[in-house]
Amino acid sequence: MTSRRPYRLAATTTAVAALAFGAVACGNGEQAASTDGKVPVVVSTNVWGSVVSAVGGDKVSVKAIIDDPSGDPHSYQSTPEDAADVTGAKLLLANGGGYDEFFTQMADQAPDARKVNAFDVSGHGAEAGQEPAPAEPGHEGHAEPGHEGHAEPGHEGEAGHEGEAGHEGHAHEHGEVNEHVWYDLPTVSKVADQIATQLGELQPADAATFTANATQFKGKLDELVKQAEQIGTAHPDRKVVATEPIAHYLLETAKVADATPPEFAKAIEEESEVPAAAQDAMNQLVTGKQVNAVINNAQTTTPATEQLVTTAKGAGVPVVDVTETLPAGVTDYIAWMTQEVNDLAAALGK
């Protein structure tokens, strides 16, 4: 468990400016995978890497820039080695939506790579009136992740999020959409299709394999959607509070209401001190057992979130830990998300 770190996108931008030189210093950036018949793919986080691996199987070589449970995509500072990997990839997969801006910036250094942006694929930005990233010449129809200066969207459905100044280096507009689309199972399914299509075009001889793998993976996702929906059916009117809106889409699928006080959520998102009144309101919801669980981002913490978790445990309110990247020792998206769904169901069934 790590403490939330200040955003350093200004520093990241500076690093990106030097990445082209770093890539040259490290050679031509070609991955070893390019010589063994595998398609070299680079992704921003290991969550999306696990999706690519499910679709590509042993026909792809996947490199996740952030493959550490303590990694923070918001504040990650790219390295010349990262640039070498990106420029040597044939396919790049970003989360998008302002979440992994370091990666979308690096993607501009690889104009010939195919690019998929999960947030753009989700369609949530379009629903909020945002323009998707323009298709890159030669890759029409495929969303491009590289677009510096893109305003980071907020969190649709999160109580009381107003438009506000964002984190250092980019705007963070709340009240629109939530960028944590790896918890949106239908979006993950769409991304799997995009990956299969792109890989099939890059390596036509294995196109049928990629399509079959994606179909199998999507079938498992469909089962997970049903399991999540069953939570709301079996336990209607359940409410939770969340230290951060990471699992927003999963809660939405499960039809579980998020009762987090607006000022608490706003302070956490802005990385500012939580007002005493907001902390008290959150504590009262928990100690009064007006909510059935606390959804806790176990990957990044603050004194306010730690205090909330302690209060919940003392009050006998279940705490469900969620994360932004795969936990240590986990490589399979379905296994990871199944555990998260099961944990949520168990907590709300008490």
Side-chain angles (χ1 to χ4, degrees):
M1 186 178 297
T2 60
S3 297
R4 176 168 288 280
R5 289 161 287 179
Y7 286 36
R8 294 172 293 180
L9 288 178
T12 301
T13 302
T14 301
V16 169
L19 287 180
F21 298 100
V24 172
C26 293
N28 63 8
E30 289 294 328
Q31 296 184 13
S34 62
T35 64
D36 63 6
K38 296 183 179 182
V39 180
V41 183
V42 177
V43 300
S44 59
T45 73
N46 59 10
V47 170
W48 291 115
S50 67
V51 175
V52 174
S53 294
V55 175
D58 60 4
K59 306 297 183 181
V60 298
S61 174
V62 183
K63 170 65 183 291
I65 300 298
I66 295 182
D67 193 25
D68 183 338
S70 65
D72 184 351
H74 289 294
S75 61
Y76 183 77
Q77 296 190 55
S78 305
T79 68
E81 290 76 16
D82 295 335
D85 287 328
V86 167
T87 57
K90 291 184 178 179
L91 177 62
L92 301 173
L93 172 56
N95 183 83
Y99 179 73
D100 45 8
E101 198 75 10
F102 79 93
F103 189 81
T104 61
Q105 290 176 0
M106 278 201 305
D108 283 346
Q109 305 299 322
D112 296 328
R114 291 170 178 261
K115 303 178 178 77
V116 175
N117 182 307
F119 179 78
D120 286 349
V121 170
S122 76
H124 293 309
E127 292 166 6
Q130 297 178 3
E131 291 293 329
E136 184 177 296
H139 304 288
E140 287 80 1
H142 303 295
E144 176 189 354
H147 45 284
E148 292 96 345
H150 177 72
E152 181 181 1
H155 306 289
E156 178 182 37
E158 297 302 323
H161 286 262
E162 302 294 336
E164 61 198 40
H167 301 297
E168 177 184 352
H170 67 287
H172 191 150
E173 297 297 328
H174 293 279
E176 296 177 8
V177 289
N178 186 302
E179 70 271 27
H180 307 109
V181 291
W182 64 92
Y183 273 103
D184 184 7
L185 301 177
T187 287
V188 176
S189 184
K190 293 177 184 178
V191 170
D193 274 336
Q194 285 277 333
I195 294 302
T197 297
Q198 296 282 5
L199 291 175
E201 292 176 1
L202 287 167
Q203 199 149 290
D206 296 312
T209 296
F210 299 139
T211 299
N213 289 347
T215 298
Q216 183 180 36
F217 179 71
K218 291 191 300 175
K220 295 176 181 178
L221 286 173
D222 289 343
E223 289 302 313
L224 263 179
V225 169
K226 293 177 183 177
Q227 291 178 36
E229 291 175 340
Q230 181 59 29
I231 295 174
T233 301
H235 310 292
D237 303 321
R238 292 295 197 264
K239 294 181 181 180
V240 301
V241 288
T243 61
E244 287 190 81
I246 302 300
H248 164 77
Y249 291 112
L250 180 58
L251 295 175
E252 193 174 63
T253 299
K255 296 180 176 60
V256 176
D258 185 347
T260 306
E263 291 305 314
F264 183 95
K266 180 178 179 180
I268 295 298
E269 284 294 287
E270 291 183 332
E271 297 182 0
S272 60
E273 185 175 353
V274 176
Q279 187 81 51
D280 289 344
M282 194 74 141
N283 289 340
Q284 288 174 21
L285 286 170
V286 172
T287 58
K289 296 193 175 180
Q290 298 176 53
V291 295
N292 304 95
V294 171
I295 310 301
N296 176 52
N297 181 359
Q299 199 160 325
T300 55
T301 64
T302 69
T305 63
E306 291 177 340
Q307 190 268 338
L308 177 66
V309 168
T310 299
T311 298
K313 291 179 177 178
V317 173
V319 175
V320 179
D321 286 338
V322 296
T323 57
E324 300 184 51
T325 55
L326 297 177
V330 177
T331 59
D332 182 84
Y333 177 88
I334 297 296
W336 172 53
M337 197 54 58
T338 297
Q339 186 62 56
E340 302 241 318
V341 170
N342 289 342
D343 289 346
L344 180 62
L348 297 182
K350 294 182 179 179

